[in-house]
Amino acid sequence: MKGNQRRKAGTESHTIWLFSYREHVLKELNINLNPDSKLHLYEQIYIYIRDEIRKGNLKKGEKLPSTRSLAQFLQISRSTAETAYDQLLSEGYIISKPHSGYLVAEISNLYDMSGTEERSRREKEGFPALTSAMQQAPGISPESVPHGSPETGTSGRSVFADEGGDSSHSSSSSAQDAMIDFSPRRIDMSQFPYSTWKRLSKENLVGANSEMFSLGEPNGDRSFREVIAHYLHTARGIDCDPDCLVIGAGNDYLLMLLRELLEQRESSLDSGTGKVVGMEYVTYLRAYQIFRSFGWDVRPVRMDEKGMNVASVREKGCSLVYVMPAHQYPSGVTMPIARRMELLAWANEKEGRCIVEDDYDSEFRYRGRPIPSLKSADSSGSVIYIGTFSKSIAPAIRVSYMLLPPTLAERYHRGFSFFSSTVSRLDQQILGRFIGGGYFERYLNKMRTVYRGKRDILLEALKPMRTGFDVSGEDAGLHLLLREKTAPMSIADARAREQELAREAGKAGVVVYPMSDFAIAGADLERQSARATLLLGYAALSAEELRTGAGLLSEALMGRNARKKHLT
């Protein structure tokens, strides 16, 4: 614990009196803060209040103390209290209302679905954080990362198109002709520890034996799957059996393998199970195209500020849904706990329903701790979890993983183990050393700092546009959204307006990405309204490029007065 996150030794038990305006009674809560815990103080506060809400001890509408009062009662800094509340807000456990303060949110269908109580107990006991836990990976000892110059171009930056990027995006101005390209699909490789990767590669070859060059296990080497399982447990809260993991070269391969598993389920399941897919109407288009290539019926569903609309899922008759609950791409929406529980309840209503959770860029969160995965709350085997290292390390790594529910994992081992692994054993060993040796954790922390800094620069540079546009999605991921301040309009009208704004930006030498470029074809949904929205990716741009691009965008979309104000 650092700075104001560490509490001086003293009394560890504090009593907080919460005024419940709903019941007009006083409610007494005891929060025990342990200064010696491996958890930050804000995490201890967050876990306690979260668990009280889960248990039903704190009811919908009950008022929490202000951050100032909480800090005074617990003798901590106000920023610590604010961080705890920010995390609860992000996950949807509480809401903030003007002039009312913080209130407990409505959470229906909230029940213990995956050992929640046991996980909470481990958290309270100070379960080790990712760095220390990863350093305990079997057979791998952490070493210091050598300091070396990254092998980049003269600009010091190297960028790669994301393997998850959509190739179908359009713009009035091509990236080659543009002065600034706010692509949300590119990342910054200037900080990558190339020398460490080289050294691990060399050590791996030196220690390799003839067995290393044999075919290997079809779902990935056991040692590598154990490293991934350990990472998912510590970083995403998932209790993962390595035998349920399948390693593959990119999400495309894993989705195609999943198709085979779902297509050939036992005949006792409902006819057509897995063939009616629900996806949010703006989504990761590559997954949409893959599902369509299977011959499955992909149906766009409505979404709101909480993500996928479960009522729309039911209306569409879906038997499988594809979601990104931690940070939906491209909308940037984080699905709150109540909506997650509603989605899990939908999956449990009928045998054969399932959820594909794509944990896209969940590693990059700039406020509070990472949002728990949907899979971590799944006890019925409804969630199929997919993750990748394309954003967090490099697209060229081409290593993804799929965590299957036990029933599907059993079917995989029984009928599909003849598929050879699509990831080289040498690559698995190198990446396993990189993760297990603590290098991935350190690199990830460094890139969070780098991307947070770039995000802050862009937010500051976009201030002149705040009179005409709202900014959202900035708390996570590698892009943010500019949403025009107009009355909601039809999807078709919003699409036309976005294309108009993109053309104006293109004339000024800036490439921006309309939200409608990510929409499923024909997704003009009834009762769905929208406002013109542009995506601005910032990961691959330098500070100078971000400032220049924002200035040009202000001039193009807000007029010369905005440009003049920006320069001064």
Side-chain angles (χ1 to χ4, degrees):
M1 291 179 286
K2 301 178 180 179
N4 59 20
Q5 297 292 338
R6 180 179 291 277
R7 176 174 164 267
K8 295 180 180 179
T11 304
E12 296 183 359
S13 179
H14 295 267
T15 298
I16 301 178
W17 296 95
L18 301 184
F19 289 88
S20 173
Y21 293 158
R22 183 176 59 83
E23 297 177 346
H24 302 286
V25 297
L26 286 172
K27 216 164 192 42
E28 182 181 9
L29 293 180
N30 293 311
I31 296 183
N32 297 317
L33 296 182
N34 180 6
D36 297 321
S37 172
K38 294 180 181 179
L39 294 176
H40 291 293
L41 295 184
Y42 85 84
E43 292 180 292
Q44 296 180 48
I45 297 168
Y46 150 77
I47 289 169
Y48 182 88
I49 297 176
R50 180 201 65 185
D51 288 354
E52 288 296 291
I53 295 173
R54 284 178 170 178
K55 295 172 184 175
N57 295 333
L58 285 174
K59 308 293 185 183
K60 172 193 171 184
E62 290 198 46
K63 182 177 173 60
L64 298 177
S66 66
T67 55
R68 185 185 300 276
S69 298
L70 184 65
Q72 181 179 356
F73 276 119
L74 294 181
Q75 301 173 31
I76 57 175
S77 70
R78 188 174 180 184
S79 63
T80 299
E82 289 173 344
T83 304
Y85 278 12
D86 282 345
Q87 187 68 30
L88 292 163
L89 279 167
S90 298
E91 297 186 21
Y93 286 103
I94 64 175
I95 59 175
S96 176
K97 287 189 175 181
H99 312 298
S100 297
Y102 296 98
L103 307 174
V104 176
E106 179 179 9
I107 302 178
S108 58
N109 299 315
L110 186 58
Y111 49 97
D112 189 46
M113 305 190 77
S114 182
T116 299
E117 298 302 325
E118 172 63 16
R119 221 171 23 254
S120 297
R121 181 189 64 79
R122 290 200 305 269
E123 289 175 328
K124 290 174 180 176
E125 292 176 356
F127 193 82
L130 175 60
T131 300
S132 58
M134 290 307 301
Q135 290 174 346
Q136 298 168 7
I140 300 177
S141 61
E143 303 175 44
S144 59
V145 180
H147 297 284
S149 300
E151 296 179 351
T152 57
T154 56
S155 66
R157 293 189 301 113
S158 176
V159 295
F160 290 77
D162 177 15
E163 72 101 27
D166 301 315
S167 59
S168 59
H169 300 328
S170 62
S171 178
S172 59
S173 177
S174 68
Q176 291 88 349
D177 298 332
M179 181 177 177
I180 304 293
D181 182 4
F182 283 100
S183 172
R185 306 184 301 275
R186 306 173 74 195
I187 63 174
D188 186 347
M189 290 296 296
S190 66
Q191 304 297 317
F192 185 76
Y194 294 94
S195 58
T196 299
W197 191 269
K198 284 182 179 179
R199 178 169 56 79
L200 293 175
S201 301
K202 182 178 180 180
E203 292 174 355
N204 194 57
L205 288 173
V206 169
N209 52 36
S210 58
E211 177 67 20
M212 180 57 61
F213 293 93
S214 62
L215 193 58
E217 298 176 81
N219 57 328
D221 282 2
R222 174 78 187 190
S223 60
F224 183 52
R225 286 184 281 114
E226 287 176 346
V227 169
I228 299 297
H230 196 80
Y231 165 71
L232 291 177
H233 180 76
T234 55
R236 304 301 293 129
I238 299 174
D239 292 328
C240 176
D241 182 350
D243 289 334
C244 292
L245 277 171
V246 179
I247 308 300
N251 290 5
D252 301 7
Y253 166 77
L254 294 177
L255 288 174
M256 286 187 283
L257 179 60
L258 178 62
R259 175 241 182 143
E260 297 300 318
L261 288 169
L262 295 178
E263 284 276 354
Q264 299 186 31
R265 280 188 168 188
E266 288 79 357
S267 58
S268 61
L269 297 181
D270 298 328
S271 175
T273 292
K275 293 186 178 181
V276 181
V277 183
M279 301 182 74
E280 287 142 324
Y281 80 92
V282 289
T283 192
Y284 170 38
L285 288 181
R286 192 176 216 152
Y288 165 74
Q289 291 160 352
I290 291 171
F291 285 134
R292 290 279 293 173
S293 72
F294 297 163
W296 290 358
D297 182 5
V298 183
R299 301 178 182 179
V301 299
R302 295 191 303 277
M303 58 187 300
D304 52 32
E305 70 280 357
K306 297 179 181 179
M308 178 174 282
N309 185 301
V310 181
S312 182
V313 171
R314 289 191 172 92
E315 291 172 5
K316 298 289 184 176
C318 303
S319 51
L320 180 149
V321 295
Y322 173 91
V323 292
M324 299 176 174
H327 186 240
Q328 203 269 351
Y329 185 83
S331 69
V333 170
T334 296
M335 186 179 290
I337 184 65
R339 183 63 57 87
R340 293 173 186 231
M341 295 301 103
E342 188 180 359
L343 191 58
L344 286 170
W346 164 83
N348 290 326
E349 288 172 359
K350 193 173 184 180
E351 185 180 13
R353 287 178 177 175
C354 57
I355 302 166
V356 176
E357 177 183 12
D358 188 341
D359 211 15
Y360 186 81
D361 72 9
S362 62
E363 298 90 351
F364 298 109
R365 182 165 182 79
Y366 310 118
R367 295 181 65 183
R369 49 192 260 162
I371 300 297
S373 65
L374 183 65
K375 180 63 178 177
S376 66
D378 173 35
S379 64
S380 61
S382 301
V383 179
I384 300 157
Y385 180 90
I386 294 179
T388 180
F389 295 104
S390 294
K391 281 283 190 182
S392 56
I393 299 181
I397 297 296
R398 295 293 294 171
V399 176
S400 297
Y401 48 89
M402 178 168 64
L403 177 58
L404 296 170
T407 53
L408 279 181
E410 181 182 354
R411 177 158 186 79
Y412 167 82
H413 289 292
R414 189 171 66 246
F416 293 88
S417 58
F418 61 86
F419 282 104
S420 299
S421 176
T422 53
V423 179
S424 160
R425 296 190 72 188
L426 292 174
D427 289 340
Q428 292 182 52
Q429 286 293 315
I430 296 168
L431 185 54
R433 288 173 176 263
F434 187 71
I435 298 171
Y439 307 113
F440 176 56
E441 166 76 3
R442 291 193 282 273
Y443 176 61
L444 200 55
N445 287 337
K446 177 185 288 187
M447 293 314 298
R448 286 193 189 104
T449 301
V450 169
Y451 290 142
R452 183 187 292 110
K454 292 187 177 188
R455 178 208 64 168
D456 292 345
I457 289 170
L458 181 57
L459 287 174
E460 180 66 25
L462 289 174
K463 281 185 176 179
M465 301 188 67
R466 294 298 184 101
T467 56
F469 292 82
D470 291 320
V471 178
S472 63
E474 71 273 21
D475 290 338
L478 301 177
H479 72 275
L480 52 78
L481 307 176
L482 276 181
R483 184 169 287 110
E484 193 171 25
K485 291 183 177 180
T486 61
M489 59 188 75
S490 69
I491 292 178
D493 289 343
R495 178 182 294 115
R497 178 58 177 160
E498 287 168 0
Q499 297 298 328
E500 180 184 352
L501 292 172
R503 284 193 296 272
E504 291 301 312
K507 292 176 184 177
V510 179
V511 176
V512 294
Y513 294 79
M515 178 73 84
S516 56
D517 281 358
F518 302 83
I520 294 176
D524 290 328
L525 304 176
E526 296 180 5
R527 303 190 303 277
Q528 181 78 48
S529 60
R531 290 188 289 155
T533 304
L534 303 174
L535 273 71
L536 273 65
Y538 50 80
L541 299 176
S542 67
E544 181 181 357
E545 289 170 328
L546 289 169
R547 294 189 182 99
T548 301
L552 292 170
L553 195 60
S554 294
E555 181 177 356
L557 304 187
M558 299 292 293
R560 294 188 177 276
N561 290 337
R563 173 63 172 167
K564 182 177 179 181
K565 181 178 179 182
H566 172 77
L567 292 175
T568 56

